[in-house]
Amino acid sequence: MDEKLIIFDTTLRDGEQSPGISLDSAEKLEIAEQLARLNVDYIEAGFPVASQGDFDAVQAIARQVHGPIIAGLSRTHLGDVDRCWEALRDAEKARIHVFISTSPSHMEHMLKMDQHQVLAETMQGVERARSHTMDVEFSPQDATRTPLDFMLQVLQTAVDSGATTLNIPDTVGYGIPWDFGALIQYVKSQISGNFVISTHCHNDLGLATANSLAGVQAGARQVEVCINGLGERAGNAALEEVVMAVKIRPDQFPGISTQIRTEELARTSRLVSRLTGYPVQYNKAVVGKNAFTHESGIHQHGVLMDRETYEIIDAQSVGQKGSQIVLGKHSGRHAFSETLKNMGLEVHGDTLNQAFFRFKELADRKMEITEADLEALVADEISSEASNMYSLAELEVGGGTVGTPNARVVITKGGERLEARADGNGMIDAAGKAIQIATGLQTNLVGFTVSSVTGGEDAQGEVVVQLAYGEFKVSGRGVSTDVVEASARAYLNAVNRLSRSMARKDIRDVEVGP
Ligand code: KIV
Ligand code: ZN
């Protein structure tokens, strides 16, 4: 019988720590529900003590998401552990993930603790977690820069105090595959007790996936991963890469398998990208737009003769061929809402009405509407659903090579109508400035990318903007067949995120963030 590789998804915790990402509870819930469809074993839903927003999101996921075990992150402080449990307690099954830094640099500059104190903290945090649940994970943060002897002492203390999973975080992405693999093997051989060993690899050297796989080969039976490789700085190991490597190369991972429904990978990737505002690079392994596109004539010819000439993965098996035409101009409201339901998108009331209205508009401009189009459009509507959010009511622009580009916008917020006009360097710039005037938020545009949702002349343009405002950096996304409109929608989407982030200024107000 195959040995199971546990997939511990931390998109909603470590992934959410990517700069500029700030998901609200509803968005986190939507991602968690998709992760459940993907069939991950664990969802690390957040760090409950970090803010009320994090707590609420973990609690909502624990109460509403079925299937995966729900995990929450906690420092070793007793108050943190109890707060983490409070958020998790209503889950079908829950895990507390306790961590403390163990490297000399972290201990000196962040914790200001010596080795005795770290050992004592480990014991108290893990014991307290174990008093709440039988499923306790422990992580020595910055493990790969921790003296080996001390790390073994800490890990043995954690197991003796009740930890059932030992996670080895390569917090700063310092590991090299063969070295990291040897570390996992050594830890496994030196620590006594009953535990699963886990990897948590960051991508600072572009080796997160390679290091995780080396860990699996050396005996790790849990990998901590994020969709699209999101995470602090250069990110974490990408779930889709690790899962597919194990699946495609059973010769390298004999008898090891995951329970991931790989056909859900592409959709999960698109959803996460859309809600976080982080685009997926075109040539990203497994889920990138170009992962199954063949450019050279020789390659195209080969694939037409036999797919396997130039493809090691069947695009269908990872959901990359899920972009079929699903609806057209004559499709009615019922077909529209049924299609969304079948795609796993639950949309009701005003949001459904508004999404249907936008679908009809799109169907007038675009012949064939695909799943990807619908996802983009519905996500755009959902993101402006709440009544206290800004939403675009009207946009009028003028531009070209003669005269000054200008824009007029009408924005609504909770029944209020805000109108403004502005000139700019181009129509997009003018629209952005008009939005700034209407909302009263003088943001700086620091990033702008445009891409097409699907191919063809009538494709929808997808715009991602990044805005900076004081200490805040947020991204937003908008879609339309008109790039100026898509830009205005993206801009407003980012402004809405900014308002939320400002309202939740307590985000990450703990002294020692993970
Ligand atoms: O990178 C890290 O060390 C972490 C821990 C909290 C596991 O994210
Ligand atoms: Zn991490």
Side-chain angles (χ1 to χ4, degrees):
M1 212 172 92
D2 271 9
E3 239 186 296
K4 181 172 166 180
L5 177 61
I6 297 167
I7 302 297
F8 181 104
D9 181 278
T10 182
T11 308
L12 295 175
R13 200 277 298 166
D14 212 321
E16 216 235 354
Q17 289 173 218
S18 309
I21 295 185
S22 166
L23 298 166
D24 63 21
S25 279
E27 291 169 329
K28 287 189 178 181
L29 201 53
E30 202 179 336
I31 291 176
E33 270 157 5
Q34 179 57 28
L35 290 172
R37 274 193 285 276
L38 182 64
N39 211 24
V40 303
D41 299 289
Y42 283 84
I43 295 174
E44 188 167 45
F47 185 21
V49 82
S51 70
Q52 186 62 40
D54 261 35
F55 180 92
D56 293 343
V58 175
Q59 189 171 60
I61 291 168
R63 287 180 175 168
Q64 294 176 50
V65 176
H66 305 289
I69 301 169
I70 311 301
L73 184 68
S74 169
R75 293 180 297 182
T76 50
H77 305 348
L78 299 183
D80 284 24
V81 179
D82 293 346
R83 182 87 174 136
C84 186
W85 180 245
E86 215 185 310
L88 290 171
R89 63 184 320 147
D90 296 333
E92 278 166 0
K93 286 192 195 152
R95 165 181 288 185
I96 300 179
H97 176 187
V98 179
F99 79 99
I100 189 164
S101 285
T102 50
S103 67
S105 126
H106 282 215
M107 283 165 57
E108 183 188 339
H109 301 296
M110 293 161 61
L111 294 182
K112 306 204 187 319
M113 284 185 198
D114 62 21
Q115 294 194 342
H116 290 293
Q117 287 168 303
V118 168
L119 285 167
E121 283 280 323
T122 300
M123 190 192 311
Q124 76 155 30
V126 172
E127 277 180 355
R128 183 63 150 242
R130 193 57 200 257
S131 74
H132 294 305
T133 169
M134 301 291 277
D135 190 347
V136 176
E137 171 173 329
F138 173 76
S139 291
Q141 186 169 216
D142 205 9
T144 44
R145 293 191 303 169
T146 297
L148 205 47
D149 283 357
F150 180 54
M151 183 166 65
L152 292 179
Q153 255 181 295
V154 178
L155 291 173
Q156 191 62 63
T157 302
V159 172
D160 295 345
S161 309
T164 46
T165 294
L166 292 183
N167 183 42
I168 309 298
D170 184 19
T171 305
V172 291
Y174 182 69
I176 299 290
W178 42 96
D179 194 34
F180 188 73
L183 176 65
I184 295 289
Q185 198 170 31
Y186 190 65
V187 166
K188 210 174 164 195
S189 68
Q190 296 300 304
I191 305 293
S192 50
N194 238 339
F195 58 91
V196 170
I197 194 149
S198 164
T199 66
H200 177 107
C201 298
H202 279 269
N203 205 29
D204 299 65
L205 293 173
L207 294 171
T209 295
N211 285 334
S212 307
L213 293 172
V216 174
Q217 241 185 6
R221 288 297 173 266
Q222 172 178 288
V223 281
E224 301 203 349
V225 283
C226 288
I227 298 294
N228 298 339
L230 291 181
E232 282 276 8
R233 306 178 311 280
N236 288 70
L239 180 149
E240 59 278 7
E241 294 174 8
V242 175
V243 165
M244 290 314 290
V246 170
K247 183 168 177 175
I248 294 290
R249 295 298 304 268
D251 56 322
Q252 294 297 311
F253 305 98
I256 299 174
S257 62
T258 75
Q259 291 182 350
I260 292 296
R261 290 190 196 111
T262 59
E263 323 78 60
E264 293 288 335
L265 283 171
R267 181 179 297 171
T268 314
S269 161
R270 290 197 298 264
L271 177 72
V272 168
S273 169
R274 201 159 289 129
L275 294 182
T276 56
Y278 260 52
V280 176
Q281 77 198 54
Y282 281 10
N283 59 340
K284 167 82 185 58
V286 185
V287 292
K289 267 186 190 158
N290 291 353
F292 297 93
T293 306
H294 302 274
E295 192 61 32
S296 100
I298 295 177
H299 286 215
Q300 287 172 352
H301 177 73
V303 170
L304 284 176
M305 294 294 107
D306 180 359
R307 181 187 67 74
E308 289 188 12
T309 50
Y310 285 100
E311 278 181 8
I312 58 165
I313 300 173
D314 177 354
Q316 210 132 22
S317 74
V318 294
Q320 279 270 47
K321 282 210 179 125
S323 250
Q324 308 91 338
I325 300 157
V326 285
L327 290 173
K329 195 179 164 106
H330 301 294
S331 311
R333 203 169 180 286
H334 182 70
F336 177 72
S337 87
E338 279 305 299
T339 307
L340 296 186
K341 226 179 267 166
N342 293 338
M343 288 166 58
L345 295 168
E346 291 289 340
V347 192
H348 310 280
D350 283 351
T351 310
L352 179 62
N353 294 340
Q354 191 52 31
F356 182 62
F357 177 74
R358 286 204 44 204
F359 157 70
K360 280 294 190 186
E361 271 187 343
L362 179 63
D364 277 339
R365 301 190 211 173
K366 192 172 188 293
M367 300 266 290
E368 297 163 342
I369 307 227
T370 66
E371 270 195 16
D373 283 321
L374 284 184
E375 280 172 11
L377 189 145
V378 168
D380 211 32
E381 272 317 310
I382 290 174
S383 66
S384 52
E385 176 177 26
S387 57
N388 60 345
M389 294 286 153
Y390 295 108
S391 78
L392 185 68
E394 290 174 27
L395 171 70
E396 213 181 322
V397 286
T401 54
V402 183
T404 309
N406 57 81
R408 180 184 73 87
V409 294
V410 177
I411 290 164
T412 54
K413 186 185 185 198
E416 204 185 343
R417 190 181 145 93
L418 308 157
E419 181 168 356
R421 290 171 193 275
D423 291 343
N425 292 326
M427 291 185 287
I428 293 175
D429 185 45
K433 289 197 168 116
I435 291 172
Q436 287 188 359
I437 297 169
T439 58
L441 284 166
Q442 297 300 313
T443 50
N444 282 326
L445 181 67
V446 291
F448 181 92
T449 48
V450 58
S451 58
S452 62
V453 174
T454 50
E457 276 179 14
D458 56 359
Q460 293 195 91
E462 188 165 47
V463 172
V464 176
V465 299
Q466 282 194 313
L467 302 182
Y469 183 81
E471 66 188 281
F472 298 100
K473 200 164 169 204
V474 290
S475 51
R477 179 182 291 253
V479 289
S480 168
T481 49
D482 179 331
V483 175
V484 184
E485 182 187 334
S487 306
R489 289 187 181 281
Y491 208 104
L492 269 186
N493 184 235
V495 168
N496 282 328
R497 282 169 193 270
L498 179 63
S499 312
R500 281 203 304 264
S501 295
M502 293 195 304
R504 285 169 41 193
K505 202 166 181 315
D506 56 340
I507 296 169
R508 322 249 172 269
D509 59 354
V510 286
E511 320 108 66
V512 188

